[in-house]
């Protein structure tokens, strides 16, 4: 699927595409399947190689951080507005109660720290701010942890891609590296689908 290919997304939509995907994946229910980590890593690689992206690294990271924080803020406000009704919503093609339950468990386990930690956990990253809003976490506290998490995530993953992209072996094999990133982007989704089917079979039995 091209929508899961970070290089295709960046080459087609540029910086605006990166920001839109980060925003959606950070706090919109429909964004959980989007390639957040691999997109940032590929962004760093391509900035280092001067391909498709020609903004300075610091400005790229700043824009990504703003989009990530804004996405979580929207997710929080959505959760706060919808509240308990969200946990009674029936499953659909793009919404599974099990994803919400995972985020709720993560939030209950780590408290406010979950807002930072969830940044580095696919799927949970999308649903945790919604759970925080539904749980009426104090807005000021959420905003503080959201800003810290967004800054750490956008900086850490993008900078990692940037510096690896300057390594001679990576530069000379960037096409293979990008193919590997696409494969790694698809693996978590496949694992989640298989786990969901296994849980459904156990529930029926």
């Amino acid at each position: 699927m091209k929508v899961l290919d970070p290089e295709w997304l960046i080459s087609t939509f540029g910086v605006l595409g990166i920001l839109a995907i980060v925003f959606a994946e950070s706090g919109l229910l429909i964004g959980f399947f989007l390639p957040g980590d691999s997109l940032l890593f590929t962004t760093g690689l391509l900035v280092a190689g001067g391909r498709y992206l020609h903004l300075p690294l610091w400005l790229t990271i700043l824009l990504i951080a703003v989009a990530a924080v804004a996405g979580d803020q929207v997710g929080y406000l959505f959760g706060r507005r919808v509240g308990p009704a969200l946990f009674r919503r029936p499953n659909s093609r793009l919404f599974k109660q099990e994803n919400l339950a995972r985020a709720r468990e993560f939030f209950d386990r780590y408290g406010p720290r979950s807002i930072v930690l969830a940044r580095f956990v696919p799927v949970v990253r999308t649903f945790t701010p919604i759970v925080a809003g539904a749980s009426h976490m104090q807005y000021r506290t959420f905003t503080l942890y959201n800003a810290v998490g967004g800054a750490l995530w956008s900086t850490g993953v993008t900078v990692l891609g940037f510096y690896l992209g300057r390594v001679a072996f990576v530069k000379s094999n960037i096409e293979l590296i990008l193919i590997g990133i696409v494969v790694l982007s698809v693996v978590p989704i496949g694992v989640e689908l298989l786990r969901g089917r296994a849980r459904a079979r156990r529930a029926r039995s």
Side-chain angles (χ1 to χ4, degrees), residues 36-45 57 61 64 119-120 125 150-164:
D37 297 319
S38 57
L39 181 70
L40 266 59
F41 188 85
T42 303
T43 296
L45 279 177
L57 179 64
I61 291 172
I64 291 172
R119 282 287 180 191
F120 301 89
R125 172 168 54 240
L152 289 176
W153 179 62
S154 58
T155 302
V157 182
T158 309
V159 166
L160 180 63
F162 179 81
Y163 282 104
L164 284 180

Side-chain angles (χ1 to χ4, degrees), residues 49-119:
R51 296 178 59 181
Y52 309 128
L53 301 172
H54 304 288
L55 292 177
L57 179 64
W58 69 268
L59 181 55
T60 303
I61 291 172
L62 177 61
L63 293 173
I64 291 172
V66 170
V69 171
D72 263 25
Q73 293 296 126
V74 169
Y76 173 89
L77 294 174
F78 176 76
R80 185 127 187 176
R81 183 179 181 84
V82 174
L86 187 62
F87 293 89
R88 298 192 298 269
R89 178 176 174 172
N91 286 334
S92 64
R93 186 165 188 159
L94 292 177
F95 176 81
K96 303 294 182 185
Q97 277 289 339
E98 62 191 60
N99 292 331
L100 195 60
R102 282 183 61 199
R104 182 64 179 265
E105 180 182 344
F106 195 84
F107 180 79
D108 290 342
R109 180 175 181 181
Y110 295 105
R113 291 179 300 158
S114 66
I115 308 304
V116 176
L117 298 175
R119 282 287 180 191

